[in-house]
């Protein structure tokens, strides 16, 4: 994670994609013998720099390709190749983060080439959009231009096929997060997957039940000569799935009995003329017609695959070792669910007192001491606040109970895979909030136990810090917090719910930074106005930008 956090931050502030790629190519050409593998690894840093800013990688890879055009002795680089190298050089938590960032503006690999076969990319499970139906586009036999057609139809970002094993029966998915929305144009209602190269029956059997529908491309001449094969593919598709059979490069002057028969058996069949020039009037007509046919609401609404169904299908694709990891993650969530996910106030005894202290202090701050006539109410409030502060104050030899939530959370921090574990817990907490709360409820002051998050667990840990009896454990908690900051994760300075600044703890955490110059930028604005998105784009931060999220005080 540290590599992702620091990638390019001090290197590319004054560079453009073109100058970055030119430097990489110049360094490559200046080295003898030329090391293509080193060039590919050198490309990973600017890739990570772009991913943090949720940018498309195609322009960068285009410049790299152009810089190597004259050298015919090396492999043709591609975005798929670079993404594959990046993921294979990342530990699990980093790979999950990269795939999530990749999904914002780029196609995400679903199946990668592995030797002579295709291998499922498990990290896509964490980025999959379960809310929208997903359709798979594939070709039967030779059929050029599938990816470019999809890009024109759906404003997707699929890479054009090059002569490489990375484009042999591999699959990418575009989740459409970058789809342009306006008052006229709505968000794209479907996710789109693209098969590079020709589909095989074996691969189709593996993946078909992941998708709600299919776009099948087949060249007219190939269809007329290989009708039994085409029917074999169509028969292997799930009965529930929507299908659109595109007979490509078709002439409407043709009146072929085979085509007529095929149309009668496939209501979704559409004959598509050659549309090499996708901007002319005729091509635009057919593209718009095809888009309207595919987007029709009746195609997917009754058939939408459930999340449970999809997860079960994903698990079938996992190798045994990876499946064991998922089972371990599931077991972890089950073991902590009652306390850290669905926790109650009884699990946070010290934090309850802390919240009461903050609320009482806030109440006192709004009292006009000079104009108030109710001196008894002021006295009672001050007295109640004093008693709460005494309860919260750590007394030597009489340490307060930190509660079950803190004990479990602290034990998880001591695991060598703590960031991966915290990521799993954070994901489970977000899923619970999405399931139980509406977007407008996130902006109101619900009790903290109704909206548990990773921030609240860290707040509880900071409150419990002074009550930890062992100095070594106190130092451990400080170090865990430092590690979280070093990994690039956002951390709270001001607790926006309780309007509190944990100055003493943060001073200990940041003691190593006391001789460093730190430039602090603050951003304010209404909820859902794009503050986090702007910071992510400008500075490569990793703020959560989920819809409806209110990050008060972060």
């Amino acid at each position: 994670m540290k590599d992702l956090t620091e990638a390019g931050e001090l290197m590319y502030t004054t560079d453009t994609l073109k100058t970055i790629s030119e430097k990489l190519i110049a360094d490559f050409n200046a080295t003898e013998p030329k090391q293509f593998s080193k060039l590919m690894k050198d490309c990973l840093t600017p890739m990570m720099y772009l991913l943090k800013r949720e940018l498309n990688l195609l322009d960068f890879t285009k410049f790299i390709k152009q810089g190597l055009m004259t050298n015919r002795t090396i492999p043709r680089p591609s975005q798929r190749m670079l993404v594959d190298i990046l993921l294979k050089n990342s530990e699990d938590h980093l790979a999950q983060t990269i795939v999530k960032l990749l999904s914002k503006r780029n196609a995400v690999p679903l199946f990668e080439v592995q030797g002579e076969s295709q291998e499922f990319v498990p990290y896509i499970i964490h980025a999959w959009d379960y809310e929208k139906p997903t359709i798979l586009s594939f070709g039967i036999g030779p059929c050029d231009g599938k990816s470019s057609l999809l890009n024109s139809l759906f404003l997707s970002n699929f890479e054009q096929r090059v002569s490489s094993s990375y484009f042999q029966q591999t699959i990418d998915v575009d989740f459409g997060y970058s789809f342009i929305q306006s008052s006229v144009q709505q968000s794209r209602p479907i996710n789109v997957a693209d098969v590079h190269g020709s589909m095989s029956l074996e691969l189709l059997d593996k993946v078909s039940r992941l998708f709600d529908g299919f776009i099948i491309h087949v060249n007219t001449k190939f269809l007329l000569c290989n009708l039994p094969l085409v029917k074999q593919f169509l028969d292997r598709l799930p009965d529930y799935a929507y299908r659109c059979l595109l007979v490509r490069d078709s002439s409407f002057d043709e009146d072929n009995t085979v085509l007529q028969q095929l149309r009668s058996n496939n209501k979704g069949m559409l004959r598509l003329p050659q549309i090499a020039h996708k901007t002319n009037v005729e091509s635009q007509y057919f593209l718009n017609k095809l888009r309207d046919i595919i987007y029709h609401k009746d195609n997917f609404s009754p058939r939408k695959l459930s999340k449970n169904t999809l997860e079960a299908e994903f698990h079938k694709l996992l190798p045994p070792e990876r499946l064991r990891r998922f089972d371990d993650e599931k077991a972890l969530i089950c073991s902590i669910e009652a306390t850290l996910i669905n926790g109650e106030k009884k699990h946070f005894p010290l934090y309850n007192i802390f919240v009461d202290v903050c609320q009482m202090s806030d109440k006192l701050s709004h009292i006009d001491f000079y104009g108030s006539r109710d001196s008894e109410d002021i006295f009672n409030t001050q007295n109640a606040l004093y008693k709460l502060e005494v309860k919260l104050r750590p007394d030597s030899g009489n340490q307060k109970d930190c509660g079950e939530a803190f004990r479990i959370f602290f034990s998880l921090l001591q695991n060598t895979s703590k960031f991966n574990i915290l990521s799993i817990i954070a994901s489970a907490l977000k899923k619970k909030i999405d399931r139980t709360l509406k977007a407008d409820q996130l902006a109101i002051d619900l009790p903290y136990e109704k909206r548990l998050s990773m921030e609240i667990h860290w707040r509880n840990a900071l409150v419990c810090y002074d009550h930890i009896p062992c100095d070594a454990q106190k130092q451990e908690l400080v170090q865990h917090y430092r590690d979280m900051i070093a990994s690039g994760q956002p951390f709270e300075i001001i607790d926006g719910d309780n309007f509190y600044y944990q100055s003493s703890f943060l001073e200990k955490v940041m003691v190593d930074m006391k001789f460093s110059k730190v430039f602090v930028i603050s951003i304010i604005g209404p909820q859902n106005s794009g503050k986090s998105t702007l910071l992510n784009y400008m500075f490569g931060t990793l703020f959560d930008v989920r819809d409806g999220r209110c990050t008060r005080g972060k």
Side-chain angles (χ1 to χ4, degrees):
M1 283 298 295
K2 187 176 181 181
D3 293 335
L4 177 63
T5 305
E6 298 178 355
E9 291 306 323
L10 301 178
M11 297 167 56
Y12 304 135
T13 53
T14 59
D15 282 319
T16 64
L17 288 180
K18 186 176 181 180
T19 58
I20 292 171
S21 58
E22 286 175 347
K23 288 178 183 177
L24 291 171
I25 298 300
D27 291 342
F28 171 72
N29 289 328
T31 305
E32 291 294 343
K34 292 181 172 53
Q35 299 179 21
F36 182 73
S37 59
K38 183 179 182 303
L39 171 63
M40 293 297 96
K41 287 190 176 181
D42 289 343
C43 288
L44 301 186
T45 298
M47 279 181 63
M48 295 171 91
Y49 181 86
L50 296 171
L51 285 175
K52 286 187 297 179
R53 287 155 177 79
E54 299 180 10
L55 295 177
N56 189 283
L57 299 177
L58 287 177
D59 287 337
F60 171 68
T61 52
K62 179 186 72 174
F63 285 125
I64 296 295
K65 290 177 185 178
Q66 290 175 350
L68 298 172
M69 287 291 288
T70 57
N71 194 328
R72 302 293 182 182
T73 62
I74 60 172
R76 298 295 91 191
S78 65
Q79 180 177 313
R80 292 199 100 261
M81 177 190 291
L82 289 169
V83 169
D84 183 59
I85 294 171
L86 183 57
L87 291 177
K88 286 179 177 175
N89 283 276
S90 303
E91 47 85 18
D92 277 359
H93 178 49
L94 177 57
Q96 289 178 23
T97 303
I98 288 171
V99 166
K100 289 177 183 177
L101 293 173
L102 196 66
S103 69
K104 302 300 181 182
R105 290 293 301 274
N106 299 271
V108 182
L110 174 66
F111 268 80
E112 283 285 345
V113 65
Q114 184 68 28
E116 298 297 322
S117 61
Q118 290 74 36
E119 183 179 78
F120 175 61
V121 180
Y123 309 112
I124 198 172
I125 296 175
H126 303 279
W128 195 270
D129 181 3
Y130 294 95
E131 300 301 318
K132 295 178 183 177
T134 305
I135 62 173
L136 176 67
S137 166
F138 67 90
I140 304 175
C143 190
D144 295 332
K146 298 189 300 296
S147 298
S148 61
L149 176 62
L150 293 179
N151 290 343
S152 298
L153 275 172
F154 305 117
L155 297 185
S156 51
N157 289 302
F158 292 114
E159 187 176 16
Q160 305 300 303
R161 183 175 181 270
V162 298
S163 180
S164 166
S165 60
Y166 288 96
F167 291 86
Q168 297 297 327
Q169 296 186 36
T170 51
I171 304 176
D172 293 336
V173 186
D174 186 294
F175 293 108
Y177 294 125
S178 63
F179 194 88
I180 301 171
Q181 299 183 47
S182 66
S183 58
V184 179
Q185 184 165 278
Q186 299 299 314
S187 172
R188 194 176 75 194
I190 58 174
N191 307 311
V192 185
D194 183 27
V195 178
H196 298 290
S198 296
M199 173 66 91
S200 68
L201 289 169
E202 180 184 5
L203 182 58
L204 182 60
D205 288 339
K206 275 186 180 180
V207 304
S208 61
R209 295 198 171 273
L210 294 175
F211 301 100
D212 302 273
F214 299 87
I215 299 176
I216 307 101
H217 307 250
V218 59
N219 182 275
T220 303
K221 292 181 179 179
F222 182 88
L223 170 64
L224 296 177
C225 298
N226 298 273
L227 184 60
L229 177 62
V230 173
K231 287 184 176 180
Q232 193 176 2
F233 272 93
L234 296 177
D235 290 341
R236 301 287 266 272
L237 300 178
D239 293 335
Y240 64 79
Y242 165 76
R243 62 185 69 182
C244 177
L245 177 61
L246 291 183
V247 181
R248 302 283 299 273
D249 301 338
S250 177
S251 170
F252 292 96
D253 296 330
E254 295 171 333
D255 185 17
N256 190 285
T257 306
V258 173
L259 293 179
Q260 290 179 355
Q261 180 185 358
L262 198 60
R263 179 189 293 275
S264 65
N265 296 328
N266 294 273
K267 303 299 183 185
M269 174 178 159
L270 181 68
R271 296 168 68 177
L272 199 65
Q274 188 175 31
I275 49 174
H277 303 289
K278 298 180 178 61
T279 56
N280 65 35
V281 175
E282 183 181 4
S283 296
Q284 284 295 313
Y285 167 78
F286 285 107
L287 288 173
N288 291 333
K289 180 180 178 181
L290 177 57
R291 188 185 298 113
D292 291 340
I293 290 172
I294 295 173
Y295 279 177
H296 195 280
K297 63 180 181 179
D298 293 335
N299 289 339
F300 301 104
S301 299
R303 303 180 177 88
K304 175 71 181 73
L305 293 172
S306 69
K307 183 177 180 181
N308 289 338
T309 300
L310 285 169
E311 287 181 338
E313 292 298 324
F314 281 136
H315 284 192
K316 293 177 184 178
L317 297 171
L318 294 171
E321 180 184 352
R322 180 65 61 175
L323 189 57
R324 281 195 296 272
R325 292 188 197 177
F326 272 91
D327 289 339
D328 290 344
E329 291 178 7
K330 189 175 181 180
L332 170 66
I333 294 299
C334 288
S335 68
I336 65 171
E337 189 170 17
T339 305
L340 298 189
I341 310 299
N342 300 319
E344 302 174 11
K345 294 186 74 171
K346 65 181 181 181
H347 299 125
F348 301 83
L350 282 178
Y351 191 69
N352 293 329
I353 301 173
F354 170 75
V355 171
D356 290 341
V357 166
C358 292
Q359 290 176 348
M360 197 71 70
S361 299
D362 183 60
K363 180 180 177 181
L364 279 175
S365 70
H366 288 85
I367 293 178
D368 182 2
F369 288 89
Y370 296 100
S372 176
R373 297 180 180 179
D374 195 349
S375 57
E376 184 177 352
D377 180 56
I378 295 175
F379 173 79
N380 290 336
T381 302
Q382 290 176 322
N383 186 47
L385 176 60
Y386 173 75
K387 290 180 179 179
L388 287 172
E389 289 175 336
V390 169
K391 280 186 179 182
L392 195 61
R393 191 180 304 152
D395 298 322
S396 58
N398 185 26
Q399 300 292 339
K400 305 293 191 301
D401 178 25
C402 292
E404 189 67 15
F406 172 74
R407 283 192 288 273
I408 294 176
F409 185 73
F410 187 69
S411 67
L412 294 175
L413 290 177
Q414 295 170 311
N415 193 294
T416 54
S417 302
K418 61 185 175 184
F419 291 127
N420 194 39
I421 291 173
L422 293 182
S423 177
I424 294 168
I425 297 172
S427 178
L429 288 166
K430 290 174 186 176
K431 288 177 182 177
K432 185 209 170 185
I433 288 177
D434 290 340
R435 187 175 65 252
T436 58
L437 298 178
K438 296 180 180 179
D440 56 347
Q441 291 179 292
L442 296 175
I444 62 177
D445 290 323
L446 291 171
Y448 74 85
E449 70 273 13
K450 300 293 185 184
R451 48 180 176 81
L452 285 177
S453 64
M454 192 55 65
E455 290 88 354
I456 290 175
H457 284 302
W458 274 114
R459 292 173 191 171
N460 181 47
L462 269 57
V463 169
C464 293
Y465 171 80
D466 288 327
H467 297 268
I468 298 175
C470 175
D471 288 340
Q473 289 182 333
K474 285 185 175 182
Q475 187 55 39
E476 279 184 43
L477 183 60
V478 170
Q479 188 58 49
H480 290 316
Y481 207 78
R482 283 179 186 153
D483 293 342
M484 181 189 69
I485 295 174
S487 73
Q489 297 301 311
F491 67 100
E492 281 191 336
I493 295 178
I494 302 294
D495 176 347
D497 289 322
N498 300 301
F499 304 104
Y500 192 82
Y501 170 51
Q502 293 281 3
S503 58
S504 176
F505 182 85
L506 290 175
E507 284 175 8
K508 293 180 177 67
V509 169
M510 297 184 179
V511 66
D512 294 338
M513 300 171 61
K514 62 183 179 181
F515 297 115
S516 303
K517 291 184 178 180
V518 180
F519 186 62
V520 180
I521 294 176
S522 178
I523 185 168
I524 59 174
Q527 182 187 353
N528 283 342
S529 59
K531 301 183 297 297
S532 297
T533 301
L534 178 62
L535 292 176
N536 289 346
Y537 182 81
M538 292 180 67
F539 304 111
T541 50
L542 297 172
F543 289 115
D544 195 341
V545 293
R546 179 168 56 85
D547 290 341
R549 178 169 174 77
C550 184
T551 50
R552 290 173 290 180
K554 288 191 74 172

